[in-house]
Amino acid sequence: MIGPSSDPAELIAHLETLRSEENIAGMARFGIVTGRALGISNPDIRAIGRLAKRNHVRAMLLWRSDIREARLLALYTAEPKRLTLDEARHWADDFNSWEIVDCAADLFVEARLDELISEFAADEREFVRRTAFAMISGAAVHRRKEPDAAILAWLPLIEAHSGDSRNFVRKAVSWALRSIGKRNRACHGPALKLAKLLAESPDKTARWIGKDAVRELAGEKLLARLR
């Protein structure tokens, strides 16, 4: 029976019993790295995490397994208040999939490891750079009490990396810009202004990001919500 006392080996053994070849094939079609995957859905992994409860030391050990589901379980059961910058950097060295990045970004935001944002944005590795912009998006959405000025301070970083044409980076940059713009009326104007600026850029990628963001930020549905 899975519970707070379950050790990494027991949790991994339980995950192995849930393996689904059909799901593995489906995940591959969504660009998820499946070489070390068991084909278990994220909601099911989260459910296991709720049973296992948070345990930071165990999460560190789960991560070392190199199994997709064990690493997601590590992210869901790590303790944000105990997560250090060096631990986050160590995990980032292993990032090879957008879904792992996006789950890790949520944890890093909760742990308030904001100094990683500029550091990771400067990193040339595709998935590490994606982490920076996934973190910006997460902070814009989840930190409702954060001063808007702190959120808007990331707009220059978005502009600076709007020319990165790699698929998982450009989508995350657009995501970050749109998340800031959707936060509230105070953030909407500056984000839309940057989106329009990028939409007129001579750079193909920046132009795509700008148009993608303008399409959502200038939409009537969003404008009605922000009024």
Side-chain angles (χ1 to χ4, degrees):
M1 186 70 179
I2 297 301
S5 62
S6 298
D7 63 27
E10 289 171 325
L11 289 172
I12 290 172
H14 179 68
L15 291 170
E16 293 277 6
T17 68
L18 303 176
R19 183 183 182 93
S20 168
E21 296 297 335
E22 182 180 355
N23 287 352
I24 291 173
M27 289 173 178
R29 290 194 291 272
F30 286 95
I32 294 172
V33 176
T34 58
R36 291 282 286 160
L38 301 175
I40 305 170
S41 71
N42 282 29
D44 286 345
I45 300 170
R46 285 187 183 275
I48 294 169
R50 286 193 292 271
L51 292 172
K53 306 297 183 185
R54 291 192 182 270
N55 182 314
H56 199 66
V57 173
R58 187 184 60 199
M60 295 296 125
L61 295 173
L62 283 169
W63 184 268
R64 294 179 192 173
S65 71
D66 194 28
I67 298 169
R68 168 192 173 266
E69 286 75 6
R71 285 189 164 175
L72 286 171
L73 189 57
L75 295 171
Y76 295 149
T77 59
E79 298 173 55
K81 291 182 179 179
R82 295 185 61 186
L83 186 68
T84 69
L85 287 165
D86 283 342
E87 287 170 342
R89 291 181 181 115
H90 175 70
W91 280 357
D93 288 339
D94 295 330
F95 288 168
N96 66 349
S97 176
W98 62 265
E99 63 157 358
I100 293 286
V101 165
D102 295 356
C103 288
D106 285 342
L107 175 63
F108 296 170
V109 167
E110 191 176 355
R112 303 195 74 87
L113 302 181
D114 291 6
E115 63 188 87
L116 291 177
I117 291 176
S118 58
E119 178 183 324
F120 284 175
D123 196 299
E124 289 297 330
R125 291 172 292 179
E126 182 174 9
F127 290 108
V128 178
R129 182 168 288 172
R130 179 186 174 90
T131 309
F133 296 98
M135 287 180 68
I136 291 173
S137 179
V141 172
H142 298 299
R143 291 188 187 166
R144 305 311 303 174
K145 296 182 180 179
E146 193 87 0
D148 291 331
I151 303 297
L152 292 171
W154 286 316
L155 287 177
L157 201 61
I158 289 172
E159 183 176 7
H161 292 284
S162 61
D164 192 325
S165 62
R166 291 174 295 181
N167 186 47
F168 294 113
V169 175
R170 70 187 179 101
K171 287 185 175 180
V173 173
S174 172
W175 181 23
L177 180 54
R178 288 181 286 114
S179 293
I180 292 175
K182 292 188 292 183
R183 177 180 169 87
N184 56 35
R185 290 179 65 182
C187 291
H188 179 263
L192 181 58
K193 180 179 179 181
L194 176 56
K196 289 180 176 178
L197 177 68
L198 295 178
E200 299 299 323
S201 171
D203 181 88
K204 181 180 178 180
T205 301
R207 196 162 60 247
W208 179 88
I209 289 170
K211 289 181 177 179
D212 189 49
V214 167
R215 190 178 304 113
E216 185 165 2
L217 298 181
E220 283 301 320
K221 187 175 180 179
L222 175 63
L223 294 175
R225 178 173 71 79
L226 294 176
R227 284 192 188 106

